[in-house]
């Protein structure tokens, strides 16, 4: 009896073990099936990460460049020559880069000038040029050669546009943050000279002149929302000298270069020959300025003819005559009231005869 009971217990245990084994087998099968379901993962496109630009600087590549927070200016005038060194420094005063100007002979006015920091660049002037440097490495971002003066004063507006006055001229030079010339006015008033300071005041600029009397005088000039932009300059004739690879084209009167000029291309003194300036968009004009004759040099000026009188016509409708002096300097003419101009023409009415040639010349014309 005891043997039978023991056998029964052993058999019962064996069945329990078989049941447990069956349960484990089923569970293991389910796990394997689940693993099989998860063994295949559908591939997805992985994004290609491109280098991005720092919001205030150059592209990131390895080590982040530091931005100069201050720039020191040192002018050297030894040995009868002038040059300047600009050093960009971080917030701790550590030098990050240096920029050295060309060397110039010392004259009456400085040829190097520190204009200052503005947004993402440092501005300076050397040799009549306005230059913008990168604050991260001191490299030249752009060079504008239209200024042609020695800085008397400078200021920026809210858009980063730079306003400059030249002590011996121009009275106003405006360049945007991309290096494009917006305006250049050599002289507002012949009675005011030696522009020493300029301030942007929103709708006008204030220019201080040291040469207007016993004390400096500050004059306020309105600023137009849109600057006068020249679209085209044409003429009824112009002189070509292919043997010298020289062409005295109409566009020369708007290139801010006194070493070039428009020269009429007909026989005689050029009476009636006409030069026309077309604006990109109509602009309000208060007056005009002219560099008479061929002002490349005194010799060139006097051997060629110069206009004595010009008939001026605005938009093909309004005409008047201006009398020009026989001088190597800018001459300004103010209209009775501002006029909206689309085009303006200048016809030769009378001349100062040249000592050698009958070619009549005009070096520069600007509108303001």
């Amino acid at each position: 009896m005891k043997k039978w009971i023991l056998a029964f217990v052993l058999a019962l245990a064996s069945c329990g073990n078989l049941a447990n084994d069956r349960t484990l087998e089923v569970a293991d099968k389910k796990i394997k099936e689940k693993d099989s379901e998860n063994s295949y993962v559908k591939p997805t496109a992985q994004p290609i990460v491109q280098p991005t630009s720092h919001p205030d600087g150059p592209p990131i590549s390895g080590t982040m460049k530091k931005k100069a927070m201050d720039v020191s200016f040192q002018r050297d005038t030894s040995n009868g020559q002038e040059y300047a060194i600009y050093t960009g420094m971080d917030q701790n005063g550590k030098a990050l880069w240096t920029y050295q100007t060309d060397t110039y002979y010392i004259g009456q006015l400085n040829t190097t000038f520190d204009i200052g920091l503005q947004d993402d660049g440092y501005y300076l002037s050397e040799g009549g040029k306005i230059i913008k440097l990168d604050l991260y490495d001191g490299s030249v971002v752009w060079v504008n050669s239209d200024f042609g003066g020695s800085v008397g004063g400078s200021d920026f507006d809210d858009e980063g546009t730079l306003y400059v006055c030249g002590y011996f001229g121009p009275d106003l030079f405006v360049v945007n943050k991309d290096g494009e010339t917006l305006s250049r006015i050599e002289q507002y008033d012949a009675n005011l000279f030696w522009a020493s300071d300029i301030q942007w005041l929103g709708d006008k600029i204030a220019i201080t002149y040291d040469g207007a009397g016993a004390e400096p005088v500050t004059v306020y000039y309105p600023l137009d929302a849109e600057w006068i932009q020249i679209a085209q300059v044409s003429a009824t004739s112009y002189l070509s000298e292919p043997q010298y690879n020289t062409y005295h084209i109409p566009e020369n009167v708007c290139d801010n270069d006194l070493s070039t000029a428009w020269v009429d291309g007909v026989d005689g003194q050029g009476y009636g020959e006409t030069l026309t300036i077309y604006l990109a968009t109509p602009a309000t004009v208060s007056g005009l300025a002219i560099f008479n004759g061929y002002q490349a040099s005194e010799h060139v000026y006097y051997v060629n003819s110069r206009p004595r009188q010009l008939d001026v016509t605005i938009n093909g409708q309004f005409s008047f005559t201006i009398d020009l002096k026989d001088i190597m300097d800018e001459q300004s003419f103010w209209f009775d009231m501002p006029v909206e101009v689309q085009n303006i023409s200048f016809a030769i009415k009378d001349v100062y005869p040249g000592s050698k040639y009958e070619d009549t010349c005009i070096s520069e014309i600007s509108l303001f």
Side-chain angles (χ1 to χ4, degrees):
M1 183 68 181
K2 292 181 178 179
K3 290 182 178 180
W4 181 84
I5 295 173
L6 177 62
F8 177 78
V9 171
L10 291 174
L12 184 62
S14 176
C15 290
N17 289 337
L18 288 174
N20 289 338
D21 290 343
R22 182 65 177 173
T23 301
L24 291 173
E25 182 181 347
V26 172
D28 184 60
K29 182 179 180 182
K30 289 183 178 180
I31 291 173
K32 287 181 179 179
E33 289 175 352
K34 188 67 175 179
D35 288 344
S36 177
E37 291 175 2
N38 294 336
S39 64
Y40 175 76
V41 179
K42 184 178 180 181
T44 58
Q46 297 299 314
I48 299 174
V49 180
Q50 298 287 357
T52 58
S53 294
H54 189 277
D56 295 320
I60 297 173
S61 57
T63 303
M64 178 69 71
K65 291 182 178 180
K66 288 186 177 181
K67 179 180 180 180
M69 306 304 293
D70 191 17
V71 178
S72 69
F73 165 71
Q74 182 178 4
R75 181 187 292 118
D76 190 300
T77 56
S78 58
N79 302 318
Q81 294 181 319
E82 175 189 347
Y83 69 91
I85 296 177
Y86 301 83
T87 303
M89 299 175 291
D90 64 16
Q91 65 271 21
N92 298 318
K94 180 182 177 181
L96 301 176
W97 50 261
T98 60
Y99 171 85
Q100 181 171 323
T101 68
D102 290 336
T103 301
Y104 304 90
Y105 288 107
I106 295 178
Q108 187 175 359
L109 300 176
N110 292 326
T111 54
T112 59
F113 192 88
D114 58 320
I115 294 174
L117 287 164
Q118 177 66 18
D119 295 333
D120 60 341
Y122 179 82
Y123 293 73
L124 61 97
S125 175
E126 66 162 295
K129 304 183 292 289
I130 304 295
I131 298 174
K132 180 180 180 179
L133 301 181
D134 187 288
L135 290 178
Y136 288 86
D137 57 15
S139 62
V140 174
V141 178
W142 50 254
V143 177
N144 184 303
S145 301
D146 295 340
F147 174 54
S150 178
V151 175
S154 62
D155 198 7
F156 291 93
D157 67 15
D158 293 338
E159 301 298 324
T161 300
L162 172 63
Y163 300 81
V164 178
C165 63
Y167 198 70
F168 283 174
D171 280 4
L172 175 65
F173 182 71
V174 187
V175 56
N176 66 18
K177 61 183 179 182
D178 296 320
E180 300 168 334
T181 300
L182 300 181
S183 183
R184 187 182 190 280
I185 297 175
E186 190 67 23
Q187 189 175 43
Y188 276 111
D189 190 326
N191 296 315
L192 302 172
F193 47 95
W194 301 345
S196 60
D197 184 65
I198 188 169
Q199 294 183 38
W200 173 75
L201 301 175
D203 60 342
K204 57 184 176 292
I205 54 172
I207 301 178
T208 299
Y209 296 90
D210 288 348
E215 298 292 333
V217 174
T218 299
V219 181
Y220 299 88
Y221 297 103
L223 287 174
D224 294 328
E226 295 182 1
W227 297 101
I228 298 172
Q229 297 286 335
I230 306 298
Q232 180 185 358
V233 186
S234 66
T236 50
S237 69
Y238 66 88
L239 177 64
S240 297
E241 297 181 294
Q243 67 274 27
Y244 304 119
N245 195 29
T246 302
Y247 303 88
H248 306 283
I249 57 177
E251 291 85 349
N252 286 347
V253 301
C254 294
D255 64 358
N256 292 317
D257 186 354
L258 293 179
S259 68
T260 66
W262 168 62
V263 182
D264 83 89
V266 299
D267 293 335
Q269 299 288 0
Y271 294 121
E273 292 304 291
T274 303
L275 177 86
T276 303
I277 297 173
Y278 298 89
L279 306 189
T281 58
T284 301
V285 177
S286 299
L288 58 93
I290 296 178
F291 279 95
N292 202 14
Y294 206 142
Q295 302 214 6
S297 69
E298 186 173 345
H299 170 74
V300 173
Y301 181 84
Y302 285 108
V303 296
N304 289 287
S305 297
R306 294 83 60 194
R308 181 193 298 268
Q309 288 184 319
L310 291 172
D311 285 333
V312 181
T313 302
I314 298 176
N315 301 333
Q317 299 175 340
F318 311 104
S319 298
F320 54 92
T321 300
I322 58 174
D323 297 310
L324 293 157
K325 299 176 183 177
D326 193 14
I327 57 173
M328 289 188 66
D329 201 354
E330 187 179 54
Q331 302 178 56
S332 298
F333 302 88
W334 292 82
F335 302 156
D336 291 338
M337 63 181 63
V339 180
E340 187 169 279
V341 175
Q342 178 63 66
N343 59 75
I344 183 168
S345 298
F346 304 85
I348 300 171
K349 185 176 183 178
D350 196 9
V351 303
Y352 298 102
S355 61
K356 186 175 181 179
Y357 304 111
E358 293 184 329
D359 306 313
T360 301
C361 316
I362 299 175
S363 287
E364 287 290 324
I365 299 177
S366 60
L367 308 176
F368 54 84

